[in-house]
Each structure stands twice: as structure tokens, then as C-alpha cells.
Coordinates of all heavy atoms in Angstrom, one line a residue:
M201 N 31.0 -5.7 12.8 CA 29.7 -6.0 12.1 C 29.3 -7.5 12.5 O 30.2 -8.4 12.4 CB 29.9 -5.9 10.6 CG 28.7 -6.1 9.8 SD 28.9 -5.7 8.1 CE 30.1 -6.9 7.6
K202 N 28.1 -7.7 12.8 CA 27.6 -9.0 13.0 C 27.1 -9.7 11.7 O 26.8 -9.0 10.8 CB 26.4 -9.0 14.0 CG 26.7 -8.7 15.4 CD 25.4 -8.9 16.2 CE 25.7 -8.7 17.7 NZ 24.4 -8.9 18.5
T203 N 27.1 -11.0 11.8 CA 26.5 -11.8 10.7 C 25.3 -12.5 11.3 O 25.3 -12.9 12.4 CB 27.4 -12.7 10.0 OG1 28.0 -13.6 11.0 CG2 28.5 -12.0 9.2
C204 N 24.3 -12.7 10.5 CA 23.1 -13.4 10.9 C 23.4 -14.8 11.3 O 24.0 -15.5 10.5 CB 22.0 -13.3 9.8 SG 20.6 -14.3 10.2
I205 N 23.0 -15.2 12.5 CA 23.2 -16.6 12.9 C 22.4 -17.6 12.2 O 22.8 -18.8 12.2 CB 23.0 -16.8 14.4 CG1 21.5 -16.5 14.8 CG2 23.9 -16.0 15.3 CD1 21.1 -17.0 16.2
A206 N 21.4 -17.2 11.5 CA 20.5 -18.1 10.8 C 20.7 -18.3 9.3 O 20.3 -19.3 8.7 CB 19.1 -17.8 11.1
C207 N 21.3 -17.2 8.7 CA 21.6 -17.3 7.2 C 22.9 -16.8 6.8 O 23.3 -17.0 5.7 CB 20.5 -16.6 6.5 SG 20.6 -14.8 6.5
G208 N 23.7 -16.3 7.8 CA 25.1 -15.9 7.5 C 25.2 -14.5 6.8 O 26.3 -14.1 6.4
M209 N 24.1 -13.8 6.6 CA 24.2 -12.5 5.9 C 24.8 -11.5 6.8 O 24.5 -11.4 8.0 CB 22.8 -12.0 5.5 CG 22.8 -10.7 4.8 SD 21.1 -10.1 4.4 CE 20.8 -9.1 5.8
P210 N 25.8 -10.7 6.3 CA 26.3 -9.6 7.1 C 25.3 -8.5 7.3 O 24.6 -8.2 6.4 CB 27.5 -9.1 6.2 CG 27.6 -9.9 5.1 CD 26.3 -10.8 4.9
M211 N 25.2 -8.1 8.6 CA 24.2 -7.0 8.9 C 24.9 -5.7 9.1 O 25.6 -5.5 10.1 CB 23.4 -7.5 10.1 CG 22.6 -8.7 9.8 SD 21.6 -9.3 11.2 CE 22.8 -9.9 12.4
K212 N 24.8 -4.8 8.1 CA 25.6 -3.6 8.1 C 25.1 -2.5 9.1 O 25.8 -1.8 9.7 CB 25.7 -3.0 6.7 CG 26.5 -3.9 5.8 CD 26.8 -3.2 4.4 CE 25.6 -3.4 3.4 NZ 25.4 -4.9 3.1
D213 N 23.8 -2.5 9.2 CA 23.3 -1.5 10.2 C 22.0 -2.0 10.8 O 21.5 -3.1 10.4 CB 23.1 -0.1 9.6 CG 22.2 -0.1 8.4 OD1 21.0 -0.6 8.5 OD2 22.6 0.3 7.3
A214 N 21.4 -1.3 11.7 CA 20.3 -1.7 12.5 C 19.1 -2.2 11.7 O 18.4 -3.1 12.0 CB 19.9 -0.7 13.5
S215 N 18.9 -1.5 10.5 CA 17.8 -1.8 9.7 C 17.8 -3.2 9.2 O 16.8 -3.7 8.7 CB 17.7 -0.8 8.6 OG 18.7 -1.0 7.7
E216 N 19.0 -3.9 9.2 CA 19.0 -5.3 8.7 C 18.9 -6.3 9.8 O 18.8 -7.5 9.5 CB 20.3 -5.5 7.9 CG 20.3 -4.7 6.6 CD 21.5 -4.9 5.7 OE1 22.6 -5.0 6.2 OE2 21.3 -5.1 4.5
H217 N 18.9 -5.8 11.0 CA 18.6 -6.7 12.1 C 17.1 -6.9 12.3 O 16.3 -6.0 12.0 CB 19.1 -6.2 13.5 CG 20.6 -6.2 13.5 ND1 21.3 -7.0 14.3 CD2 21.5 -5.4 12.9 CE1 22.6 -6.8 14.2 NE2 22.8 -5.8 13.4
A218 N 16.6 -8.1 12.8 CA 15.2 -8.3 13.0 C 14.7 -7.1 13.9 O 15.4 -6.7 14.9 CB 15.0 -9.6 13.7
M219 N 13.5 -6.6 13.6 CA 12.9 -5.6 14.4 C 13.7 -4.3 14.5 O 13.5 -3.5 15.4 CB 12.5 -6.0 15.8 CG 11.8 -7.4 15.9 SD 10.2 -7.4 15.2 CE 9.3 -6.6 16.5
N220 N 14.7 -4.1 13.5 CA 15.6 -3.0 13.6 C 16.3 -2.9 14.9 O 16.7 -1.8 15.4 CB 14.8 -1.6 13.4 CG 14.3 -1.5 12.0 OD1 14.9 -2.1 11.0 ND2 13.1 -0.9 11.9
D221 N 16.6 -4.1 15.5 CA 17.2 -4.1 16.9 C 18.6 -4.7 16.8 O 18.7 -5.9 16.5 CB 16.3 -5.0 17.8 CG 16.9 -5.1 19.2 OD1 18.0 -4.6 19.4 OD2 16.2 -5.7 20.0
P222 N 19.6 -3.9 16.9 CA 21.0 -4.4 16.7 C 21.3 -5.5 17.7 O 22.3 -6.2 17.6 CB 21.8 -3.1 17.0 CG 20.9 -2.0 17.0 CD 19.5 -2.5 17.2
K223 N 20.5 -5.6 18.8 CA 20.8 -6.7 19.8 C 20.4 -8.1 19.3 O 20.8 -9.1 19.8 CB 20.2 -6.4 21.1 CG 20.9 -5.2 21.8 CD 20.5 -5.1 23.3 CE 19.1 -4.5 23.5 NZ 18.9 -3.1 23.0
K224 N 19.5 -8.1 18.3 CA 19.1 -9.4 17.7 C 20.2 -9.9 16.9 O 20.9 -9.2 16.1 CB 17.8 -9.2 16.9 CG 16.6 -8.7 17.7 CD 15.6 -9.8 17.8 CE 14.3 -9.3 18.4 NZ 14.3 -9.2 19.8
D225 N 20.4 -11.3 17.0 CA 21.5 -11.9 16.3 C 21.1 -12.4 14.9 O 21.8 -13.1 14.2 CB 22.0 -13.1 17.1 CG 22.7 -12.7 18.4 OD1 23.3 -11.6 18.3 OD2 22.5 -13.4 19.4
Y226 N 19.8 -12.2 14.5 CA 19.4 -12.6 13.2 C 18.8 -11.5 12.4 O 18.4 -10.4 13.0 CB 18.4 -13.8 13.3 CG 17.3 -13.6 14.3 CD1 16.0 -13.1 13.9 CD2 17.5 -13.8 15.7 CE1 15.0 -12.9 14.8 CE2 16.5 -13.6 16.6 CZ 15.2 -13.1 16.2 OH 14.2 -12.9 17.1
C227 N 18.7 -11.7 11.1 CA 18.3 -10.6 10.2 C 16.8 -10.5 9.9 O 16.1 -11.4 10.3 CB 19.1 -10.7 8.9 SG 18.5 -12.0 7.8
I228 N 16.5 -9.4 9.2 CA 15.1 -9.2 8.9 C 14.5 -10.4 8.0 O 13.3 -10.7 8.1 CB 14.8 -7.9 8.1 CG1 15.9 -7.7 7.0 CG2 14.8 -6.7 9.1 CD1 15.6 -6.5 6.1
Y229 N 15.4 -11.0 7.3 CA 14.9 -12.1 6.4 C 14.7 -13.4 7.2 O 14.1 -14.3 6.6 CB 15.9 -12.3 5.2 CG 16.1 -11.1 4.5 CD1 17.4 -10.4 4.6 CD2 15.1 -10.5 3.7 CE1 17.6 -9.2 3.9 CE2 15.3 -9.3 3.0 CZ 16.6 -8.7 3.1 OH 16.8 -7.5 2.4
C230 N 15.2 -13.5 8.4 CA 15.1 -14.7 9.2 C 14.1 -14.5 10.3 O 13.9 -15.4 11.1 CB 16.4 -15.1 9.8 SG 17.6 -15.5 8.5
A231 N 13.4 -13.3 10.3 CA 12.4 -13.1 11.3 C 11.0 -13.3 10.8 O 10.7 -13.1 9.6 CB 12.6 -11.6 11.8
R232 N 10.1 -13.8 11.7 CA 8.7 -13.8 11.3 C 8.1 -12.4 11.5 O 8.8 -11.5 12.1 CB 8.0 -14.7 12.3 CG 8.5 -16.2 12.2 CD 7.7 -17.0 13.2 NE 8.0 -18.4 13.2 CZ 8.3 -19.1 14.3 NH1 8.3 -18.5 15.5 NH2 8.7 -20.4 14.2
P233 N 6.9 -12.2 11.0 CA 6.3 -10.8 11.1 C 6.3 -10.4 12.6 O 6.4 -9.2 12.9 CB 4.9 -11.0 10.6 CG 5.0 -12.2 9.6 CD 6.1 -13.1 10.2
D234 N 6.2 -11.3 13.6 CA 6.2 -10.9 15.0 C 7.6 -10.6 15.5 O 7.7 -10.3 16.7 CB 5.4 -11.9 15.8 CG 6.1 -13.2 16.0 OD1 7.2 -13.4 15.5 OD2 5.6 -14.0 16.8
G235 N 8.6 -10.8 14.7 CA 10.0 -10.6 15.2 C 10.7 -11.7 15.8 O 11.9 -11.7 16.0
S236 N 10.0 -12.9 16.0 CA 10.8 -14.1 16.5 C 11.5 -14.7 15.3 O 11.2 -14.5 14.1 CB 9.8 -15.0 17.1 OG 8.8 -15.5 16.2
M237 N 12.5 -15.5 15.6 CA 13.3 -16.2 14.6 C 12.5 -17.3 14.0 O 11.8 -18.1 14.7 CB 14.6 -16.7 15.1 CG 15.6 -17.0 14.0 SD 17.3 -17.5 14.7 CE 17.0 -19.2 15.0
Q238 N 12.6 -17.5 12.7 CA 12.0 -18.6 12.0 C 12.5 -19.9 12.5 O 13.6 -20.0 13.0 CB 12.3 -18.5 10.5 CG 11.6 -17.3 9.8 CD 11.9 -17.3 8.3 OE1 12.7 -18.0 7.8 NE2 11.3 -16.3 7.6
S239 N 11.7 -20.9 12.4 CA 12.1 -22.3 12.8 C 13.0 -22.9 11.7 O 13.1 -22.4 10.6 CB 10.9 -23.2 12.9 OG 10.3 -23.5 11.7
F240 N 13.7 -24.0 12.1 CA 14.6 -24.7 11.1 C 13.8 -25.0 9.8 O 14.3 -24.7 8.7 CB 15.1 -25.9 11.8 CG 15.9 -26.8 10.9 CD1 17.3 -26.5 10.7 CD2 15.4 -27.9 10.2 CE1 18.1 -27.3 9.9 CE2 16.2 -28.6 9.4 CZ 17.5 -28.3 9.2
D241 N 12.6 -25.5 9.9 CA 11.9 -25.9 8.7 C 11.5 -24.7 7.9 O 11.6 -24.8 6.7 CB 10.6 -26.7 9.1 CG 11.0 -28.1 9.6 OD1 12.1 -28.6 9.2 OD2 10.2 -28.7 10.4
E242 N 11.0 -23.7 8.6 CA 10.7 -22.5 7.8 C 11.9 -21.9 7.0 O 11.8 -21.5 5.9 CB 10.2 -21.4 8.8 CG 8.8 -21.6 9.2 CD 8.4 -20.7 10.4 OE1 9.2 -20.3 11.2 OE2 7.2 -20.3 10.4
K243 N 13.0 -21.9 7.7 CA 14.2 -21.3 7.1 C 14.7 -22.2 5.9 O 15.1 -21.7 4.9 CB 15.3 -21.1 8.1 CG 16.4 -20.2 7.7 CD 15.9 -18.8 7.4 CE 16.7 -18.2 6.3 NZ 16.1 -16.9 5.8
L244 N 14.6 -23.5 6.2 CA 15.1 -24.4 5.1 C 14.2 -24.3 3.9 O 14.7 -24.2 2.8 CB 15.0 -25.9 5.7 CG 15.5 -27.0 4.7 CD1 17.0 -26.8 4.5 CD2 15.1 -28.4 5.3
E245 N 12.9 -24.2 4.1 CA 12.0 -24.0 2.9 C 12.3 -22.6 2.2 O 12.3 -22.6 1.0 CB 10.5 -23.9 3.4 CG 10.0 -25.3 3.9 CD 9.8 -26.2 2.7 OE1 9.4 -25.8 1.6 OE2 10.1 -27.4 2.9
S246 N 12.4 -21.6 3.0 CA 12.6 -20.3 2.3 C 13.9 -20.2 1.6 O 14.1 -19.6 0.6 CB 12.3 -19.1 3.3 OG 13.4 -19.0 4.2
M247 N 15.0 -20.8 2.2 CA 16.3 -20.8 1.6 C 16.2 -21.6 0.3 O 16.8 -21.2 -0.7 CB 17.3 -21.4 2.5 CG 18.4 -20.4 2.9 SD 19.8 -21.3 3.7 CE 20.2 -20.0 4.9
A248 N 15.5 -22.8 0.3 CA 15.4 -23.6 -0.8 C 14.7 -22.9 -2.0 O 15.1 -22.9 -3.1 CB 14.7 -25.0 -0.5
D249 N 13.6 -22.2 -1.6 CA 12.8 -21.4 -2.6 C 13.7 -20.4 -3.2 O 13.7 -20.2 -4.5 CB 11.7 -20.7 -1.9 CG 10.5 -21.6 -1.6 OD1 10.5 -22.7 -2.1 OD2 9.6 -21.1 -0.9
F250 N 14.5 -19.7 -2.4 CA 15.4 -18.7 -2.9 C 16.4 -19.3 -3.9 O 16.7 -18.7 -5.0 CB 16.2 -18.1 -1.7 CG 17.1 -17.0 -2.1 CD1 16.7 -15.7 -2.5 CD2 18.5 -17.2 -2.2 CE1 17.6 -14.7 -2.8 CE2 19.4 -16.2 -2.5 CZ 19.0 -15.0 -2.9
I251 N 17.0 -20.5 -3.6 CA 18.0 -21.1 -4.5 C 17.3 -21.5 -5.8 O 17.9 -21.4 -6.9 CB 18.6 -22.3 -3.7 CG1 19.5 -21.8 -2.6 CG2 19.5 -23.1 -4.7 CD1 19.9 -22.9 -1.6
V252 N 16.1 -22.1 -5.7 CA 15.3 -22.4 -6.9 C 15.2 -21.2 -7.8 O 15.4 -21.2 -9.0 CB 14.0 -23.0 -6.6 CG1 13.1 -23.1 -7.8 CG2 14.1 -24.4 -5.9
R253 N 14.8 -20.1 -7.2 CA 14.5 -18.8 -7.9 C 15.7 -18.3 -8.5 O 15.8 -17.8 -9.7 CB 13.9 -17.8 -7.0 CG 12.4 -17.7 -7.0 CD 11.8 -16.4 -6.6 NE 12.6 -15.7 -5.5 CZ 12.4 -16.0 -4.2 NH1 11.4 -16.8 -3.8 NH2 13.1 -15.4 -3.3
T254 N 16.8 -18.2 -7.7 CA 18.0 -17.5 -8.2 C 19.0 -18.4 -9.0 O 19.8 -17.9 -9.8 CB 18.8 -16.9 -7.0 OG1 19.1 -17.9 -6.1 CG2 17.9 -15.8 -6.3
Q255 N 19.0 -19.7 -8.7 CA 20.0 -20.5 -9.3 C 19.4 -21.6 -10.2 O 20.1 -22.4 -10.8 CB 20.9 -21.1 -8.3 CG 21.6 -20.0 -7.5 CD 22.6 -20.6 -6.5 OE1 23.4 -21.5 -6.8 NE2 22.7 -20.0 -5.3
G256 N 18.1 -21.7 -10.3 CA 17.4 -22.6 -11.2 C 17.6 -24.1 -10.8 O 17.5 -25.0 -11.7
F257 N 18.0 -24.4 -9.5 CA 18.1 -25.8 -9.1 C 16.7 -26.4 -9.1 O 15.7 -25.7 -8.9 CB 18.7 -25.8 -7.7 CG 20.1 -25.6 -7.5 CD1 20.8 -24.8 -8.4 CD2 20.8 -26.2 -6.5 CE1 22.2 -24.6 -8.3 CE2 22.2 -26.0 -6.3 CZ 22.9 -25.2 -7.2
D258 N 16.7 -27.7 -9.2 CA 15.4 -28.3 -8.9 C 15.2 -28.4 -7.4 O 16.2 -28.2 -6.7 CB 15.2 -29.7 -9.6 CG 16.1 -30.8 -9.1 OD1 16.3 -30.9 -7.8 OD2 16.7 -31.5 -9.9
R259 N 14.0 -28.7 -7.0 CA 13.7 -28.5 -5.6 C 14.5 -29.4 -4.6 O 15.0 -28.9 -3.6 CB 12.2 -28.7 -5.3 CG 11.8 -28.3 -4.0 CD 10.3 -27.9 -3.8 NE 10.2 -27.6 -2.4 CZ 10.5 -26.5 -1.9 NH1 10.8 -25.5 -2.6 NH2 10.5 -26.3 -0.6
K260 N 14.7 -30.6 -5.1 CA 15.5 -31.5 -4.2 C 16.9 -31.1 -4.1 O 17.5 -31.1 -3.0 CB 15.5 -32.9 -4.8 CG 14.9 -34.0 -3.9 CD 14.8 -35.3 -4.6 CE 15.8 -36.3 -4.0 NZ 15.8 -37.6 -4.7
A261 N 17.5 -30.6 -5.2 CA 18.9 -30.2 -5.1 C 19.0 -28.9 -4.3 O 19.9 -28.7 -3.5 CB 19.4 -29.9 -6.5
A262 N 18.0 -28.0 -4.4 CA 18.0 -26.8 -3.6 C 17.8 -27.1 -2.1 O 18.5 -26.4 -1.3 CB 16.8 -25.9 -4.1
L263 N 17.0 -28.1 -1.8 CA 16.9 -28.4 -0.4 C 18.2 -28.9 0.2 O 18.6 -28.6 1.3 CB 15.8 -29.5 -0.2 CG 14.4 -29.0 -0.1 CD1 13.4 -30.1 -0.2 CD2 14.1 -28.2 1.2
R264 N 18.9 -29.7 -0.6 CA 20.2 -30.2 -0.2 C 21.2 -29.1 0.0 O 22.0 -29.0 0.9 CB 20.8 -31.2 -1.2 CG 20.6 -32.7 -0.7 CD 21.6 -33.6 -1.4 NE 21.8 -33.4 -2.8 CZ 21.0 -33.9 -3.7 NH1 20.0 -34.8 -3.4 NH2 21.2 -33.6 -5.0
A265 N 21.2 -28.1 -1.0 CA 22.2 -27.0 -0.9 C 21.8 -26.1 0.3 O 22.7 -25.6 1.0 CB 22.1 -26.2 -2.2
A266 N 20.5 -25.9 0.6 CA 20.1 -25.1 1.7 C 20.6 -25.8 3.0 O 21.1 -25.1 3.9 CB 18.6 -24.9 1.7
E267 N 20.4 -27.1 3.1 CA 20.9 -27.8 4.3 C 22.4 -27.6 4.5 O 22.9 -27.4 5.6 CB 20.6 -29.3 4.1 CG 19.3 -29.7 4.7 CD 19.1 -31.2 4.6 OE1 20.1 -32.0 4.4 OE2 17.9 -31.6 4.7
D268 N 23.2 -27.7 3.4 CA 24.6 -27.6 3.5 C 25.0 -26.2 4.0 O 25.9 -26.0 4.8 CB 25.3 -27.8 2.1 CG 25.4 -29.2 1.7 OD1 25.2 -30.1 2.6 OD2 25.7 -29.5 0.6
M269 N 24.3 -25.2 3.6 CA 24.5 -23.8 4.1 C 24.2 -23.7 5.5 O 24.9 -23.1 6.3 CB 23.7 -22.8 3.2 CG 24.3 -22.5 1.9 SD 23.0 -21.7 0.8 CE 23.1 -20.1 1.5
M270 N 23.0 -24.3 5.9 CA 22.6 -24.2 7.3 C 23.4 -24.9 8.3 O 23.5 -24.5 9.4 CB 21.1 -24.6 7.4 CG 20.2 -23.6 6.7 SD 18.5 -24.2 6.5 CE 17.9 -24.0 8.2
K271 N 24.1 -26.0 7.8 CA 25.0 -26.7 8.7 C 26.1 -25.9 9.2 O 26.7 -26.2 10.2 CB 25.6 -27.9 7.9 CG 24.7 -29.1 7.9 CD 25.4 -30.3 7.2 CE 24.4 -31.5 7.1 NZ 24.6 -32.3 5.9
K272 N 26.5 -24.8 8.5 CA 27.6 -24.0 8.9 C 27.2 -22.9 9.8 O 28.0 -22.1 10.2 CB 28.3 -23.4 7.6 CG 28.8 -24.5 6.7 CD 29.6 -23.8 5.5 CE 30.0 -24.8 4.5 NZ 29.1 -24.8 3.3
L273 N 25.9 -22.7 10.1 CA 25.4 -21.6 10.8 C 25.0 -21.9 12.2 O 24.4 -23.0 12.5 CB 24.2 -21.0 10.1 CG 24.6 -20.4 8.7 CD1 23.3 -20.3 7.8 CD2 25.3 -19.1 8.8
P274 N 25.5 -21.1 13.2 CA 25.3 -21.4 14.6 C 23.8 -21.6 15.0 O 23.6 -22.3 16.0 CB 25.9 -20.2 15.3 CG 26.1 -19.1 14.3 CD 26.1 -19.8 13.0
A275 N 22.9 -20.9 14.4 CA 21.5 -21.0 14.8 C 21.0 -22.5 14.8 O 20.1 -22.8 15.5 CB 20.6 -20.1 14.0
W276 N 21.6 -23.3 13.9 CA 21.0 -24.6 13.6 C 21.8 -25.7 14.2 O 21.6 -26.9 13.8 CB 20.7 -24.8 12.1 CG 20.1 -23.6 11.5 CD1 20.7 -22.7 10.6 CD2 18.9 -23.0 11.8 NE1 19.9 -21.7 10.3 CE2 18.7 -21.8 11.0 CE3 17.8 -23.4 12.6 CZ2 17.6 -21.0 11.1 CZ3 16.7 -22.6 12.7 CH2 16.6 -21.4 11.9
E277 N 22.8 -25.4 15.0 CA 23.6 -26.4 15.6 C 22.7 -27.3 16.4 O 21.8 -26.9 17.1 CB 24.6 -25.7 16.6 CG 26.0 -26.1 16.4 CD 26.9 -25.3 17.3 OE1 27.1 -25.7 18.4 OE2 27.3 -24.2 16.8
G278 N 22.9 -28.6 16.2 CA 22.0 -29.6 16.9 C 20.7 -29.9 16.2 O 20.0 -30.8 16.6
C279 N 20.5 -29.3 15.0 CA 19.3 -29.6 14.2 C 19.5 -30.7 13.2 O 18.6 -31.1 12.5 CB 18.8 -28.3 13.5 SG 18.2 -27.1 14.6
F280 N 20.8 -31.1 13.1 CA 21.1 -32.1 12.0 C 21.4 -33.5 12.7 O 21.9 -33.5 13.8 CB 22.3 -31.6 11.2 CG 21.9 -30.5 10.3 CD1 22.2 -29.2 10.6 CD2 21.3 -30.8 9.0 CE1 21.8 -28.2 9.8 CE2 21.0 -29.7 8.2 CZ 21.3 -28.4 8.6
Ligands
LIG268 ZN1 19.3 -14.1 8.3

């Protein structure tokens, strides 16, 4: 099983890969509507939004937490 290079989510079957394509290394949540991978800034924003919604962090703390998560993911190597 692969994990998404951009958010770390395990992808259990093809439907969780971008464009339902098991050859893609990133998941449906990290893909834009056209199937390309989101940029660093787009992913940082959407991850921070998710943390605010699910964990009730304020936005600044959520952005820091999102950065910490993204630092561990191969897609963003060299972005920090
Ligand atoms: Zn992902």
C-alpha cells in the first residue's frame, strides 16, 4: 500500500489515488480538479483549514502544525 507523498494518508485502493490512478503518488485530497498535485501553499492552507475545523486550533497554530506535518512528507522536500 502506498501513502500519499503530499499528506501521508494511506491509499487503500485506486479510488483514493488522484484521478483514480494507482500510478499517482498523491491522493484525491491533494489533487486539483484537473488532477495535478496541489502546490505547497495550497496544501498548507487546506491542511491548516482542516486542523482549525477538526481540532479547534487558532489559525496561526494550525499553520504551524500543518508545516510540521508537511516537513515529514517527501512531496515538500526542499520547500522549507
Ligand atoms: Zn494526500
